[in-house]
Amino acid sequence: MYIGIDLGGTNIRVATVEDGKIVRLLSEPSLSQGAEEAVLEQMSRLIEAVLTPEVKGIGIGVPSVVDREKGIVYNVVGIPSWKEVHLKSFLEGRFHLPVAINNDCNCFALGVTRYGSLRHAKETVCITLGTGVGSSLVVDGKLYNGHNTGAGEIGSIPYLDKDYEYYCSSRFFTGKGTTGKEAAAAGPSPLWEEFGTHVGKLVQLILYAFDPEAIVIGGSIAKAFPLFEEAMWKEARRFPYSQSVDNLKIAPADVENAGILGAALLCK
């Protein structure tokens, strides 16, 4: 049994995981605007609440650049006080268990490629469409991290007058005077067709950069996948190498709590 943690600027979710299944899950709003120590103590308290003698390690997904070897996280998105936090040494000293840390999108990728319907694909790019755009690459079941766990962060690549993250995340909808949730509740619309076209351009970029067998889409906007799927594919098929598109599989994530499950896998 392992503990998996999904740390975000909105919530902290901590769970015990055994054989790919969540045994106990606790979630509460993170003290993201507090001091570094306040968030550390909040995380520690949640760990203590689920900790049992059977737990063999703790895995954590964090929205930041991570020094995996030393377990240091830098400039955590949504938690301003976390500029440089030696998270691994702090938790190992407190709980006397091995601790592994990685980027949160990488943890999501581990979860969906281990337990999702596209888990048999050899090369998978996992993208999260939510407040921002995250991206990770898994090859033969192994995560490609890059030197600073930031490999595949294509959302920051310039696109049109801004970047892909602006046009393929919730920022697209707020720029139109609405939210993704409100747009989804309204159903099919030209707005979703426009959004799908931008995501189709993102798919083309992924094909140029990685040529994967599969793309898994997660994040809050993935729930509205049927609303932009057709427009996405229409634009993706403009890719000049048709065989790459014809062989490509794209699906929304079908693993609940994938980030937590993936974080727990970091310990193995």
Side-chain angles (χ1 to χ4, degrees):
M1 183 182 295
Y2 297 90
I3 289 177
I5 301 174
D6 181 15
L7 172 64
T10 303
N11 297 297
I12 295 181
R13 301 191 303 145
V14 178
T16 45
V17 178
E18 187 170 23
D19 298 327
K21 296 180 180 179
I22 290 179
V23 179
R24 186 184 181 196
L25 170 64
L26 296 179
S27 176
E28 62 180 50
S30 60
L31 301 175
S32 56
Q33 300 308 306
E36 175 184 318
E37 294 76 13
V39 183
L40 285 170
E41 288 303 318
Q42 182 183 29
M43 181 184 294
S44 298
R45 174 171 51 79
L46 291 171
I47 292 171
E48 289 170 354
V50 302
L51 187 63
T52 67
E54 292 77 23
V55 171
K56 299 177 181 178
I58 301 170
I60 310 170
V62 183
S64 70
V65 171
V66 179
D67 182 326
R68 289 185 302 132
E69 183 177 339
K70 296 180 180 178
I72 304 171
V73 299
Y74 298 93
N75 302 313
V76 176
V77 176
I79 307 179
S81 64
W82 278 36
K83 300 298 185 185
E84 180 180 323
V85 180
H86 294 243
L87 188 55
K88 177 181 172 70
S89 60
F90 173 83
L91 292 177
E92 287 186 343
R94 183 134 179 184
F95 294 103
H96 308 290
L97 288 168
V99 173
I101 306 168
N102 210 309
N103 175 270
D104 58 346
C105 189
N106 287 350
C107 290
F108 162 78
L110 282 177
V112 295
T113 55
R114 175 67 65 90
Y115 303 113
S117 60
L118 295 180
R119 61 186 177 277
H120 300 299
K122 290 187 176 181
E123 307 93 10
T124 304
V125 171
C126 300
I127 56 175
T128 52
L129 309 182
T131 306
V133 173
S135 176
S136 299
L137 175 64
V138 178
V139 179
D140 290 331
K142 295 181 179 180
L143 189 66
Y144 178 73
N145 291 283
H147 187 60
N148 300 292
T149 71
E153 291 294 351
I154 57 178
S156 297
I157 292 177
Y159 171 61
L160 298 180
D161 59 328
K162 294 184 175 63
D163 56 20
Y164 281 94
E165 182 162 275
Y166 179 86
Y167 286 97
C168 299
S169 72
S170 60
R171 294 168 62 191
F172 168 81
F173 296 98
T174 55
K176 300 289 185 179
T178 185
T179 66
K181 187 175 181 179
E182 291 171 350
S189 70
L191 190 63
W192 281 110
E193 292 180 15
E194 183 180 350
F195 179 79
T197 298
H198 294 309
V199 176
K201 289 287 190 182
L202 183 66
V203 170
Q204 289 187 30
L205 174 63
I206 290 170
L207 286 170
Y208 276 121
F210 304 116
D211 188 25
E213 181 180 348
I215 297 174
V216 177
I217 300 177
S220 57
I221 297 177
K223 298 174 184 177
F225 185 71
L227 295 175
F228 64 87
E229 179 182 12
E230 184 177 350
M232 176 197 71
W233 275 113
K234 182 178 179 180
E235 185 60 36
R237 289 192 177 98
R238 298 181 187 275
F239 189 70
Y241 306 104
S242 59
Q243 188 174 8
S244 296
V245 183
D246 293 342
N247 293 332
L248 180 65
K249 306 178 185 72
I250 304 178
D254 55 359
V255 179
E256 191 174 1
N257 297 311
I260 289 177
L261 296 176
L265 288 171
L266 295 175
C267 302
K268 295 187 176 182

